[in-house]
Amino acid sequence: MAKFFRLMCVMTGLLAVSGVGAQGNYWQYNEYLNAYPHQKVLTQKLEHEVGNPPVHLNFIQTDPVSVSVIYPGQQISDYWSRNIKAFELRLKELGIQYHLHQLFTRPNMDIRQQSQSLMEALRSKSDYLIFTLDTARHRKFIEHVLGSSKTKLILQNITTPVRSWKERQPLLYVGFDHQTGTLKLAHYFKKKLKPGAHYSMLYFSPGYISEARGDTFIQAMGKHYQLVSSFYTQANQQSSYNITLENIKQNPDIDLLYACSTDVALGAVKALDKAGRKKDVLVNGWGGGSAELDAILRGDLDVTVMRMNDDTGIAMAEAIKWDLEGKEVPTVYSGSFELVSRDDSPEKIEQLKKRAFRYSDR
């Protein structure tokens, strides 16, 4: 096991180094909006629509629109399931007739099933395909769709346009900007930890999310805090649990385990509990779904950056409405965050839940 652990250290360290700078392939969210003032205006208009009551579609449809959704939703995080529920409820409030086909897969798993479902969506000539972009495999498929299909793409959980696609962009990038959320966590830990504190990086699986949430954090923490180890997980609780047990044996002086996702965070918490280290090692969440908020209330997690979850489902529905009405849709939209820590009262957390889950808790 120790030999395997050392091999993982070397491999993930090399992968992490090779990933640094990969975000240069993307426009950062605010960078893009500042470079394209017209897009900034459109995004602000969509933000206004998301925060206000629905306005009914301005014509009567002759046929329902077809929407295919393929998400990595088989996770402890309830972001994906809540997103779809908010999306459908808003479509109904807008008076949009639709047919929905959805598939939830595991992150970076079920490759054959995912590929078959993607091709089925194209063969059936879905009007809209809602997908994500995390790996090179995803990107290759998306480029195929952009170049050869009339199906319109909404890319979920990414808010940074691909530079090389130039004017040939999807209908909408939508999510909660990973860099913005990560910088909130870095700011929190810079105040929480003393200079010189040791931390370990628990990445998601190799890909865009790990770069945006993990590498951004490392860069933000700078030279005053020491990164002592970094690992890619298999984007699930069990792999995080196994890695963390070995990690804290090899690096007993760790002050913080920075986790790039809910499943990774909760796996780390279980490992610390097993090792009797829960009280002296901090762990963050990322996203602020139900499982993370429950963990904060129990004192298992120190802090999370909480997405106002249903914003993105509402934004996707509004974007489809605008498209049907012939209006220009913004290229990017990011929902907002709130930092939540174990110091916050249950009453404050409950109020944030009412705001974040205003559709998906119905």
PDB file of all heavy atoms in Angstrom, residues 210-236:
ATOM      1  N   SER A 210     -10.759  20.098 -11.743  1.00  0.00           N
ATOM      2  CA  SER A 210      -9.589  20.044 -10.871  1.00  0.00           C
ATOM      3  C   SER A 210      -8.671  21.240 -11.092  1.00  0.00           C
ATOM      4  O   SER A 210      -8.127  21.821 -10.141  1.00  0.00           O
ATOM      5  CB  SER A 210      -8.811  18.742 -11.106  1.00  0.00           C
ATOM      6  OG  SER A 210      -9.486  17.643 -10.532  1.00  0.00           O
ATOM      7  N   GLU A 211      -8.495  21.628 -12.342  1.00  0.00           N
ATOM      8  CA  GLU A 211      -7.654  22.783 -12.641  1.00  0.00           C
ATOM      9  C   GLU A 211      -8.269  24.065 -12.079  1.00  0.00           C
ATOM     10  O   GLU A 211      -7.588  24.867 -11.424  1.00  0.00           O
ATOM     11  CB  GLU A 211      -7.474  22.922 -14.150  1.00  0.00           C
ATOM     12  CG  GLU A 211      -6.686  21.779 -14.787  1.00  0.00           C
ATOM     13  CD  GLU A 211      -6.825  21.759 -16.304  1.00  0.00           C
ATOM     14  OE1 GLU A 211      -7.403  22.711 -16.857  1.00  0.00           O
ATOM     15  OE2 GLU A 211      -6.370  20.785 -16.918  1.00  0.00           O
ATOM     16  N   ALA A 212      -9.571  24.240 -12.330  1.00  0.00           N
ATOM     17  CA  ALA A 212     -10.222  25.498 -11.960  1.00  0.00           C
ATOM     18  C   ALA A 212     -10.371  25.637 -10.450  1.00  0.00           C
ATOM     19  O   ALA A 212     -10.221  26.736  -9.904  1.00  0.00           O
ATOM     20  CB  ALA A 212     -11.583  25.590 -12.646  1.00  0.00           C
ATOM     21  N   ARG A 213     -10.695  24.540  -9.767  1.00  0.00           N
ATOM     22  CA  ARG A 213     -10.886  24.618  -8.317  1.00  0.00           C
ATOM     23  C   ARG A 213      -9.592  24.366  -7.546  1.00  0.00           C
ATOM     24  O   ARG A 213      -9.377  24.959  -6.492  1.00  0.00           O
ATOM     25  CB  ARG A 213     -11.944  23.600  -7.872  1.00  0.00           C
ATOM     26  CG  ARG A 213     -13.330  23.878  -8.410  1.00  0.00           C
ATOM     27  CD  ARG A 213     -14.317  22.842  -7.896  1.00  0.00           C
ATOM     28  NE  ARG A 213     -15.656  23.048  -8.455  1.00  0.00           N
ATOM     29  CZ  ARG A 213     -16.690  22.258  -8.223  1.00  0.00           C
ATOM     30  NH1 ARG A 213     -16.549  21.192  -7.430  1.00  0.00           N
ATOM     31  NH2 ARG A 213     -17.875  22.508  -8.765  1.00  0.00           N
ATOM     32  N   GLY A 214      -8.766  23.461  -8.059  1.00  0.00           N
ATOM     33  CA  GLY A 214      -7.561  23.082  -7.339  1.00  0.00           C
ATOM     34  C   GLY A 214      -6.383  23.988  -7.620  1.00  0.00           C
ATOM     35  O   GLY A 214      -5.782  24.569  -6.697  1.00  0.00           O
ATOM     36  N   ASP A 215      -5.996  24.117  -8.882  1.00  0.00           N
ATOM     37  CA  ASP A 215      -4.830  24.931  -9.228  1.00  0.00           C
ATOM     38  C   ASP A 215      -5.049  26.400  -8.863  1.00  0.00           C
ATOM     39  O   ASP A 215      -4.112  27.097  -8.453  1.00  0.00           O
ATOM     40  CB  ASP A 215      -4.519  24.801 -10.715  1.00  0.00           C
ATOM     41  CG  ASP A 215      -4.071  23.396 -11.100  1.00  0.00           C
ATOM     42  OD1 ASP A 215      -3.793  22.605 -10.175  1.00  0.00           O
ATOM     43  OD2 ASP A 215      -4.001  23.095 -12.298  1.00  0.00           O
ATOM     44  N   THR A 216      -6.289  26.881  -9.017  1.00  0.00           N
ATOM     45  CA  THR A 216      -6.587  28.263  -8.629  1.00  0.00           C
ATOM     46  C   THR A 216      -6.330  28.471  -7.142  1.00  0.00           C
ATOM     47  O   THR A 216      -5.778  29.502  -6.727  1.00  0.00           O
ATOM     48  CB  THR A 216      -8.054  28.607  -8.957  1.00  0.00           C
ATOM     49  OG1 THR A 216      -8.247  28.546 -10.369  1.00  0.00           O
ATOM     50  CG2 THR A 216      -8.429  29.995  -8.456  1.00  0.00           C
ATOM     51  N   PHE A 217      -6.700  27.490  -6.327  1.00  0.00           N
ATOM     52  CA  PHE A 217      -6.483  27.600  -4.884  1.00  0.00           C
ATOM     53  C   PHE A 217      -4.989  27.636  -4.560  1.00  0.00           C
ATOM     54  O   PHE A 217      -4.539  28.462  -3.750  1.00  0.00           O
ATOM     55  CB  PHE A 217      -7.148  26.427  -4.171  1.00  0.00           C
ATOM     56  CG  PHE A 217      -7.082  26.502  -2.666  1.00  0.00           C
ATOM     57  CD1 PHE A 217      -7.978  27.290  -1.960  1.00  0.00           C
ATOM     58  CD2 PHE A 217      -6.122  25.797  -1.960  1.00  0.00           C
ATOM     59  CE1 PHE A 217      -7.925  27.380  -0.571  1.00  0.00           C
ATOM     60  CE2 PHE A 217      -6.056  25.872  -0.575  1.00  0.00           C
ATOM     61  CZ  PHE A 217      -6.961  26.662   0.123  1.00  0.00           C
ATOM     62  N   ILE A 218      -4.236  26.749  -5.179  1.00  0.00           N
ATOM     63  CA  ILE A 218      -2.785  26.704  -4.932  1.00  0.00           C
ATOM     64  C   ILE A 218      -2.147  28.046  -5.283  1.00  0.00           C
ATOM     65  O   ILE A 218      -1.336  28.594  -4.521  1.00  0.00           O
ATOM     66  CB  ILE A 218      -2.138  25.568  -5.746  1.00  0.00           C
ATOM     67  CG1 ILE A 218      -2.598  24.207  -5.218  1.00  0.00           C
ATOM     68  CG2 ILE A 218      -0.611  25.664  -5.694  1.00  0.00           C
ATOM     69  CD1 ILE A 218      -2.200  23.030  -6.092  1.00  0.00           C
ATOM     70  N   GLN A 219      -2.506  28.595  -6.431  1.00  0.00           N
ATOM     71  CA  GLN A 219      -1.947  29.877  -6.848  1.00  0.00           C
ATOM     72  C   GLN A 219      -2.353  30.994  -5.902  1.00  0.00           C
ATOM     73  O   GLN A 219      -1.554  31.879  -5.576  1.00  0.00           O
ATOM     74  CB  GLN A 219      -2.393  30.184  -8.277  1.00  0.00           C
ATOM     75  CG  GLN A 219      -1.788  29.241  -9.314  1.00  0.00           C
ATOM     76  CD  GLN A 219      -2.552  29.221 -10.629  1.00  0.00           C
ATOM     77  OE1 GLN A 219      -3.440  30.036 -10.855  1.00  0.00           O
ATOM     78  NE2 GLN A 219      -2.210  28.280 -11.490  1.00  0.00           N
ATOM     79  N   ALA A 220      -3.611  30.942  -5.415  1.00  0.00           N
ATOM     80  CA  ALA A 220      -4.107  31.998  -4.525  1.00  0.00           C
ATOM     81  C   ALA A 220      -3.448  31.943  -3.146  1.00  0.00           C
ATOM     82  O   ALA A 220      -3.219  32.983  -2.528  1.00  0.00           O
ATOM     83  CB  ALA A 220      -5.620  31.889  -4.375  1.00  0.00           C
ATOM     84  N   MET A 221      -3.129  30.754  -2.671  1.00  0.00           N
ATOM     85  CA  MET A 221      -2.517  30.627  -1.343  1.00  0.00           C
ATOM     86  C   MET A 221      -1.068  31.106  -1.334  1.00  0.00           C
ATOM     87  O   MET A 221      -0.549  31.533  -0.314  1.00  0.00           O
ATOM     88  CB  MET A 221      -2.595  29.177  -0.863  1.00  0.00           C
ATOM     89  CG  MET A 221      -4.008  28.685  -0.606  1.00  0.00           C
ATOM     90  SD  MET A 221      -4.898  29.647   0.632  1.00  0.00           S
ATOM     91  CE  MET A 221      -4.166  29.037   2.153  1.00  0.00           C
ATOM     92  N   GLY A 222      -0.410  31.049  -2.484  1.00  0.00           N
ATOM     93  CA  GLY A 222       0.915  31.626  -2.621  1.00  0.00           C
ATOM     94  C   GLY A 222       1.991  30.927  -1.805  1.00  0.00           C
ATOM     95  O   GLY A 222       1.820  29.808  -1.328  1.00  0.00           O
ATOM     96  N   LYS A 223       3.091  31.612  -1.610  1.00  0.00           N
ATOM     97  CA  LYS A 223       4.272  31.001  -1.003  1.00  0.00           C
ATOM     98  C   LYS A 223       4.241  30.991   0.518  1.00  0.00           C
ATOM     99  O   LYS A 223       5.113  30.392   1.165  1.00  0.00           O
ATOM    100  CB  LYS A 223       5.529  31.735  -1.476  1.00  0.00           C
ATOM    101  CG  LYS A 223       5.577  33.209  -1.075  1.00  0.00           C
ATOM    102  CD  LYS A 223       6.823  33.884  -1.641  1.00  0.00           C
ATOM    103  CE  LYS A 223       6.871  35.355  -1.227  1.00  0.00           C
ATOM    104  NZ  LYS A 223       8.053  36.048  -1.783  1.00  0.00           N
ATOM    105  N   HIS A 224       3.269  31.657   1.127  1.00  0.00           N
ATOM    106  CA  HIS A 224       3.225  31.728   2.590  1.00  0.00           C
ATOM    107  C   HIS A 224       2.564  30.506   3.233  1.00  0.00           C
ATOM    108  O   HIS A 224       2.543  30.387   4.456  1.00  0.00           O
ATOM    109  CB  HIS A 224       2.506  33.003   3.036  1.00  0.00           C
ATOM    110  CG  HIS A 224       3.186  34.258   2.591  1.00  0.00           C
ATOM    111  ND1 HIS A 224       4.463  34.587   2.992  1.00  0.00           N
ATOM    112  CD2 HIS A 224       2.782  35.245   1.743  1.00  0.00           C
ATOM    113  CE1 HIS A 224       4.812  35.731   2.434  1.00  0.00           C
ATOM    114  NE2 HIS A 224       3.825  36.153   1.672  1.00  0.00           N
ATOM    115  N   TYR A 225       1.985  29.639   2.403  1.00  0.00           N
ATOM    116  CA  TYR A 225       1.373  28.411   2.897  1.00  0.00           C
ATOM    117  C   TYR A 225       1.958  27.255   2.096  1.00  0.00           C
ATOM    118  O   TYR A 225       2.130  27.364   0.880  1.00  0.00           O
ATOM    119  CB  TYR A 225      -0.154  28.465   2.754  1.00  0.00           C
ATOM    120  CG  TYR A 225      -0.739  29.638   3.498  1.00  0.00           C
ATOM    121  CD1 TYR A 225      -0.892  30.882   2.870  1.00  0.00           C
ATOM    122  CD2 TYR A 225      -1.106  29.522   4.828  1.00  0.00           C
ATOM    123  CE1 TYR A 225      -1.391  31.967   3.550  1.00  0.00           C
ATOM    124  CE2 TYR A 225      -1.615  30.613   5.525  1.00  0.00           C
ATOM    125  CZ  TYR A 225      -1.753  31.832   4.878  1.00  0.00           C
ATOM    126  OH  TYR A 225      -2.250  32.925   5.560  1.00  0.00           O
ATOM    127  N   GLN A 226       2.264  26.148   2.769  1.00  0.00           N
ATOM    128  CA  GLN A 226       3.052  25.093   2.139  1.00  0.00           C
ATOM    129  C   GLN A 226       2.166  23.947   1.659  1.00  0.00           C
ATOM    130  O   GLN A 226       1.499  23.275   2.451  1.00  0.00           O
ATOM    131  CB  GLN A 226       4.094  24.551   3.119  1.00  0.00           C
ATOM    132  CG  GLN A 226       5.057  23.564   2.466  1.00  0.00           C
ATOM    133  CD  GLN A 226       6.181  23.166   3.402  1.00  0.00           C
ATOM    134  OE1 GLN A 226       6.384  23.775   4.441  1.00  0.00           O
ATOM    135  NE2 GLN A 226       6.924  22.124   3.024  1.00  0.00           N
ATOM    136  N   LEU A 227       2.165  23.710   0.359  1.00  0.00           N
ATOM    137  CA  LEU A 227       1.499  22.544  -0.224  1.00  0.00           C
ATOM    138  C   LEU A 227       2.423  21.343  -0.037  1.00  0.00           C
ATOM    139  O   LEU A 227       3.509  21.295  -0.624  1.00  0.00           O
ATOM    140  CB  LEU A 227       1.219  22.781  -1.712  1.00  0.00           C
ATOM    141  CG  LEU A 227       0.626  21.609  -2.494  1.00  0.00           C
ATOM    142  CD1 LEU A 227      -0.786  21.294  -2.006  1.00  0.00           C
ATOM    143  CD2 LEU A 227       0.620  21.914  -3.990  1.00  0.00           C
ATOM    144  N   VAL A 228       2.000  20.373   0.762  1.00  0.00           N
ATOM    145  CA  VAL A 228       2.876  19.238   1.075  1.00  0.00           C
ATOM    146  C   VAL A 228       2.549  17.993   0.250  1.00  0.00           C
ATOM    147  O   VAL A 228       3.378  17.079   0.140  1.00  0.00           O
ATOM    148  CB  VAL A 228       2.836  18.889   2.580  1.00  0.00           C
ATOM    149  CG1 VAL A 228       3.385  20.037   3.401  1.00  0.00           C
ATOM    150  CG2 VAL A 228       1.420  18.525   3.032  1.00  0.00           C
ATOM    151  N   SER A 229       1.355  17.930  -0.340  1.00  0.00           N
ATOM    152  CA  SER A 229       1.000  16.775  -1.175  1.00  0.00           C
ATOM    153  C   SER A 229      -0.215  17.117  -2.014  1.00  0.00           C
ATOM    154  O   SER A 229      -0.990  18.020  -1.675  1.00  0.00           O
ATOM    155  CB  SER A 229       0.704  15.525  -0.319  1.00  0.00           C
ATOM    156  OG  SER A 229      -0.336  15.788   0.607  1.00  0.00           O
ATOM    157  N   SER A 230      -0.383  16.410  -3.127  1.00  0.00           N
ATOM    158  CA  SER A 230      -1.564  16.603  -3.981  1.00  0.00           C
ATOM    159  C   SER A 230      -1.904  15.291  -4.671  1.00  0.00           C
ATOM    160  O   SER A 230      -1.000  14.549  -5.073  1.00  0.00           O
ATOM    161  CB  SER A 230      -1.319  17.704  -5.012  1.00  0.00           C
ATOM    162  OG  SER A 230      -0.242  17.369  -5.864  1.00  0.00           O
ATOM    163  N   PHE A 231      -3.185  15.036  -4.802  1.00  0.00           N
ATOM    164  CA  PHE A 231      -3.649  13.765  -5.361  1.00  0.00           C
ATOM    165  C   PHE A 231      -4.890  13.975  -6.211  1.00  0.00           C
ATOM    166  O   PHE A 231      -5.797  14.719  -5.829  1.00  0.00           O
ATOM    167  CB  PHE A 231      -4.009  12.768  -4.246  1.00  0.00           C
ATOM    168  CG  PHE A 231      -2.903  12.495  -3.297  1.00  0.00           C
ATOM    169  CD1 PHE A 231      -2.759  13.263  -2.152  1.00  0.00           C
ATOM    170  CD2 PHE A 231      -1.973  11.501  -3.558  1.00  0.00           C
ATOM    171  CE1 PHE A 231      -1.721  13.033  -1.276  1.00  0.00           C
ATOM    172  CE2 PHE A 231      -0.926  11.264  -2.681  1.00  0.00           C
ATOM    173  CZ  PHE A 231      -0.800  12.033  -1.543  1.00  0.00           C
ATOM    174  N   TYR A 232      -4.946  13.301  -7.349  1.00  0.00           N
ATOM    175  CA  TYR A 232      -6.210  13.148  -8.059  1.00  0.00           C
ATOM    176  C   TYR A 232      -6.948  11.973  -7.434  1.00  0.00           C
ATOM    177  O   TYR A 232      -6.369  10.914  -7.189  1.00  0.00           O
ATOM    178  CB  TYR A 232      -5.987  12.872  -9.542  1.00  0.00           C
ATOM    179  CG  TYR A 232      -5.613  14.098 -10.328  1.00  0.00           C
ATOM    180  CD1 TYR A 232      -4.325  14.248 -10.845  1.00  0.00           C
ATOM    181  CD2 TYR A 232      -6.535  15.104 -10.542  1.00  0.00           C
ATOM    182  CE1 TYR A 232      -3.982  15.379 -11.556  1.00  0.00           C
ATOM    183  CE2 TYR A 232      -6.192  16.239 -11.255  1.00  0.00           C
ATOM    184  CZ  TYR A 232      -4.923  16.380 -11.757  1.00  0.00           C
ATOM    185  OH  TYR A 232      -4.585  17.497 -12.449  1.00  0.00           O
ATOM    186  N   THR A 233      -8.218  12.164  -7.170  1.00  0.00           N
ATOM    187  CA  THR A 233      -9.083  11.081  -6.713  1.00  0.00           C
ATOM    188  C   THR A 233      -9.819  10.509  -7.926  1.00  0.00           C
ATOM    189  O   THR A 233      -9.648  10.977  -9.052  1.00  0.00           O
ATOM    190  CB  THR A 233     -10.107  11.585  -5.691  1.00  0.00           C
ATOM    191  OG1 THR A 233     -11.036  12.464  -6.357  1.00  0.00           O
ATOM    192  CG2 THR A 233      -9.416  12.351  -4.559  1.00  0.00           C
ATOM    193  N   GLN A 234     -10.674   9.544  -7.668  1.00  0.00           N
ATOM    194  CA  GLN A 234     -11.561   9.031  -8.713  1.00  0.00           C
ATOM    195  C   GLN A 234     -12.913   9.728  -8.650  1.00  0.00           C
ATOM    196  O   GLN A 234     -13.927   9.195  -9.099  1.00  0.00           O
ATOM    197  CB  GLN A 234     -11.717   7.519  -8.571  1.00  0.00           C
ATOM    198  CG  GLN A 234     -10.420   6.763  -8.829  1.00  0.00           C
ATOM    199  CD  GLN A 234     -10.541   5.277  -8.573  1.00  0.00           C
ATOM    200  OE1 GLN A 234     -11.644   4.729  -8.478  1.00  0.00           O
ATOM    201  NE2 GLN A 234      -9.412   4.598  -8.447  1.00  0.00           N
ATOM    202  N   ALA A 235     -12.925  10.924  -8.072  1.00  0.00           N
ATOM    203  CA  ALA A 235     -14.125  11.757  -7.974  1.00  0.00           C
ATOM    204  C   ALA A 235     -15.216  11.095  -7.151  1.00  0.00           C
ATOM    205  O   ALA A 235     -16.400  11.349  -7.364  1.00  0.00           O
ATOM    206  CB  ALA A 235     -14.653  12.116  -9.368  1.00  0.00           C
ATOM    207  N   ASN A 236     -14.814  10.246  -6.206  1.00  0.00           N
ATOM    208  CA  ASN A 236     -15.814   9.623  -5.331  1.00  0.00           C
ATOM    209  C   ASN A 236     -15.294   9.568  -3.896  1.00  0.00           C
ATOM    210  O   ASN A 236     -14.119   9.804  -3.617  1.00  0.00           O
ATOM    211  CB  ASN A 236     -16.209   8.230  -5.833  1.00  0.00           C
ATOM    212  CG  ASN A 236     -15.034   7.261  -5.900  1.00  0.00           C
ATOM    213  OD1 ASN A 236     -14.197   7.197  -5.010  1.00  0.00           O
ATOM    214  ND2 ASN A 236     -14.964   6.505  -6.986  1.00  0.00           N
TER     215      ASN A 236
END
